[in-house]
Amino acid sequence: MLDPVFAFFRRILAAIGRGIGLVFAGLFWPFMAAHGWYQRRNWMIKGPILLLIVIALVFYGQFVWRTQAWHNFNPEMVNGYDFNQRTIAAGAAVPDKPNTCQNSAIVTIAADLTDFNVNQNIWISSTLLYKLGLFGMDWDHTPFFDNKASFQRGVNQVVRRVAIELADNLGRVRGTSGINNDLQDARGNIQFDEGTWYFGTNPFGFKTPTPAYYRSAVNSWRKFNSDLETCKAVFDARADNLTQVLDRMANDLGNTSDILRRRSEEYHAGWFDTRADDRFWFAYGQLYAQYALLRATRADFLDVIRERNLTAIWTEMEKQLDSALRIQPAIISNGAEDGWIMPNHLSTMGFYILRVRSNMVELRSVLER
């Protein structure tokens, strides 16, 4: 009685095997046909083709390395600055040192985060192969090679916001001084388009690529800090300026939280959601940069934080950021929130973002009293 059953399953397995074989045959047939055609050519044709293949392999090998190797990535990088050892606010005169003022930790971190993006690593979004995509498809719409680019854009979004605050408010005494030229130059350069390569739509129109502008911003910030150390520039560490910084950061986190929420609610493809990783790593880049900049902000505004008794709330906010940055899954999943097989990393990240934002709103409320 069992023989017909076994025979039935054998036929099913054989059919599945033939189907798999046909799929692989279909996938590899173009390559086999190309190989056969190539073998019949002489070296006048084979040589240039082989050279083009080698060049393509080198370029794509370099592309894979650039997108997968994250140099000096460290969520705790700010610990190396010893900002907690500072005893005076940014811009204040250093005791017993004539013509010496405290430089800005915010400016230092903004410059170093940008340096991390464009000097210690390659700025992915403006590289040629990233712009070409996968057979014309934007890499952001594939599950491959786009995590680092999304992370870098998240970091850059935060730095751009801080650049505006530095130029408009922090680097000048409101109402009594003009905008600092170095901060103004840095603001303009860091706002430059994120995806510019040497050529645009016009192949004969040479352009300066994105990283060059960002490097100029780094130089301008470092020049400002050098001037600040010699008391030739100002840093206005007032409570209303701190309120403004927190308000802008909280708004950015609110926007990101909404993006994560909508993606989480509208798509439940689990590990097969090809855009979930973009959303996750952009948000991660935001938190990575905000954690470092908020630690720097605490150092620059230490007098205000101490006078308004904000230390406990600020410390709690830093703990929430530190916890969020510990979430580094190998594969980003956007499953149903009540699913039991595929997790929902977007919801988890969104949860931490809302907690950090809640702390920012509380800090802002205290400052506005």
Side-chain angles (χ1 to χ4, degrees), residues 178-200:
I179 295 177
N180 179 275
N181 289 333
D182 292 318
L183 294 180
Q184 188 173 25
D185 289 344
R187 177 181 62 181
N189 285 321
I190 202 65
Q191 301 298 328
F192 188 73
D193 174 69
E194 293 180 327
T196 297
W197 190 58
Y198 290 99
F199 298 99

Side-chain angles (χ1 to χ4, degrees), residues 313-333:
I313 305 174
W314 201 284
T315 301
E316 180 61 26
M317 177 177 62
E318 290 177 356
K319 287 180 180 178
Q320 298 300 334
L321 282 162
D322 182 62
S323 297
L325 293 174
R326 295 180 188 277
I327 306 171
Q328 299 179 30
I331 301 176
I332 308 302
S333 174

Side-chain angles (χ1 to χ4, degrees), residues 189-240:
N189 285 321
I190 202 65
Q191 301 298 328
F192 188 73
D193 174 69
E194 293 180 327
T196 297
W197 190 58
Y198 290 99
F199 298 99
T201 54
N202 178 7
F204 301 103
F206 184 81
K207 291 186 176 183
T208 303
T210 296
Y213 286 91
Y214 294 173
R215 292 186 185 107
S216 295
V218 171
N219 293 335
S220 295
W221 281 320
R222 287 179 174 160
K223 184 177 182 302
F224 169 82
N225 246 355
S226 295
D227 288 344
L228 186 59
E229 286 178 355
T230 56
C231 305
K232 296 176 183 176
V234 297
F235 188 96
D236 195 10
R238 299 189 316 192
D240 57 339

Side-chain angles (χ1 to χ4, degrees), residues 268-288:
H268 301 302
W271 295 306
F272 305 102
D273 182 356
T274 59
R275 299 306 304 273
D277 57 341
D278 307 340
R279 306 296 195 270
F280 179 91
W281 284 108
F282 179 85
Y284 193 98
Q286 264 195 321
L287 295 180
Y288 185 99

